[in-house]
Amino acid sequence: MAEPTERSQEYMDSTEKLDRGATAPTKEGPDVTDSVATSVDVQTVLPHEGRESVATVAKRIEITDLNLYYGSFHAVKSVNMTIQPNKVTALIGSSGCGKSTFLRSLNRMHELVPGGRVDGAVIIDGQDIYASNVDPVAVRRQVGMVFQSPNPFPTMSIYENVVAGLLLNSRKTKKPALDEIVERSLRGANLWNEVKDRLDRPGGGLSGGQQQRLCIARATAVEPEVLLMDEPCSALDPVATLAIEDLIQQLKANYTIVIVTHNMQQASRASDVTGFFNLEQSGTPGQLVELDTTETIFSNPANKATEDYVTGRFG
Amino acid sequence: MSTTPTTSTDAALTAGVPTPPRRPGDRIFSGAATAAGIGILVLLAGVAIFLLQEAWPAIKAAPEDIPGGTGLVDFIAPLAFGTVLGAVIAIVLAVPMAVAVALFITDYAPRRIANTLSYVIDLLAAVPSIVYGLWGIAVLGPAALGIQTWLADHLGFLPFFAGPVSTTGRTMLVVGVVLAVMILPIITAVTREVFARTPRIHREGALALGATRWEMIRMTVLPFGRSAVISASMLGLGRALGETMAVAIILSVSGVVTFNLISSTNPSTIAANIALDFPESSGLDVNALIASGLALFAITLVVNMAARAVITRNEDASR
């Protein structure tokens, strides 16, 4: 297993040079905390301001030696990777290999599962989100998530669904500002034209694909830095799937996007970077086997297991 | 034009095809289910007819022949008032508590504590009402004396706590509290079941937006469980309305209509009054008591229908 890790490292290095922000990875420790605290403050103010600010929000994620557990079961073993801002990173791999678990560790959702435990560091914009002084609620505001099946809040209207995140944590936003955010978010999710005349209707009345785009609008309305998508198209038909994939391409201008998918075509179509998760045999922890540009993963992967998986020859 | 289908139907009929074969198991089960369904309606109608029949003489009787001497309405009104008052106090106290306990079990308590607690609460439902009555009269009444005095001293400007405070503690307020404790388990059990069934995907959706746990509950669990809370409350209200023994032994009654919850003059309730007076009644007095029972029947019927209406409206709204 030494070789793939090495390659991932190599890839990290090469992409770092390309990164326009050129923010050197800061893992030094305590002195980082202050600067991060201010950046979080900036975030909380952002939704009240104009849309120009959005483009600067996307953040790089650095994961060092991340281990995930369910009780005593070791689900994911020592992941090291860097997720680039303004790129779509796809995570592929067979069921049960830990990619969803890994995704959920990026916004501290994993620890909500009874027995869920995390070991290691996930550094977003210089701040380890697992540091003891970090509030998971604040992390989840910065890192939005779209789920496998569309989950608009059933008792809320379309409008209320979009603003749901904005009204949390006792925030006050004026109604005109909310209207503007609703329109912007729904336009951003390519849903505005379909729902603008029925914003007061329940979100559950939309079709599956519309509901999923509503969930994307809801997640982006709070202007997160990162958008996680856990098989966002698995419950959708091909047309709705394409609509979401187009949307992902537009969204990467503003966000760092990580998407888990079982759909090889989707990974190859929609992502810039692909990570392949695998486990040696059932019962052993899942690992990040290979991480590279999507083109390389699908045309010339370094690892035999990756090649077998992407070409449909398993095990 | 219409001839072709007609002839073909006729042909099918003559051929004897139309009814598919029915299995004996199907027939037996559907028969049993239908019989049970009709049976419950017959039973309910029977009760209503019995009440009407037996109450009729009292309804027809001259006002001076009814206990109290001023007519049936004057006889039943204070009892109905007391019944509703006690039940409303119980609901007002029990529902917020039950919802809080249910949320604690489903969302806040560690799993082992949650399991133990729900078991203990289910056990509370199994305690006979006479035991609650004894506890009310022997423990809660005297213990609540201090609180009731405090209420009279500090909140005496409210009609509910005008005083003077009963020295025995056997007041409407204590009855309300005992009834609340009695209906707490059923409300808790029903709401807990439904809260726990809130789809995980909605809970996680709220949390992933950056909701705190309480915000997640407010956005997903409470809306999801709203109709359950209402129907559970109505179940509890029904039990509180009909509760007999606990009320009969706690309350010292004087047949008044008053909102004063802590004085020594309290309205009785329909059920308690029947239980206390029935053995010593004869003739028209019995009919008058049964007429009060008819009133109770009507009250519970109205409460249940109102609850059903509220639930249906909520379900429509959430769609």
Side-chain angles (χ1 to χ4, degrees), chain A residues 221-255:
Chain A
V222 294
E223 295 183 357
E225 302 165 349
V226 178
L227 204 52
L228 306 177
M229 298 184 163
D230 189 357
E231 297 179 50
C233 302
S234 65
L236 305 182
D237 66 64
V239 176
T241 300
L242 271 182
I244 302 276
E245 284 176 14
D246 288 346
L247 177 55
I248 290 171
Q249 292 310 310
Q250 295 166 25
L251 288 172
K252 75 175 180 182
N254 297 332
Y255 303 100

Side-chain angles (χ1 to χ4, degrees), chain A residues 104 107 109 112 114 137 140-141 143 145 147 149 151-156 164-165 168-170 202 218-219, chain B residues 111 200-213 215-216 218-220 223-224 226 317-319:
Chain A
R104 290 165 57 88
N107 66 343
M109 295 291 284
L112 294 172
V137 170
R140 293 182 201 128
R141 296 194 66 85
V143 185
M145 190 162 197
F147 292 81
S149 43
N151 59 347
F153 299 123
T155 51
M156 294 185 192
L168 292 171
N169 310 124
S170 316
R218 181 177 71 186
Chain B
R111 187 171 296 185
R200 200 178 119 187
I201 191 158
H202 291 145
R203 290 167 170 271
E204 291 193 337
L207 290 171
L209 272 180
T212 61
R213 199 186 308 207
E215 285 168 335
M216 180 273 287
R218 222 177 44 201
M219 287 165 79
T220 62
F224 183 79
R226 184 167 55 182
S318 67
R319 231 164 248 143

Side-chain angles (χ1 to χ4, degrees), chain B residues 19-37:
Chain B
T19 49
R22 298 195 60 190
R23 311 288 191 281
D26 258 358
R27 238 183 329 227
I28 293 167
F29 185 76
S30 84
T34 312

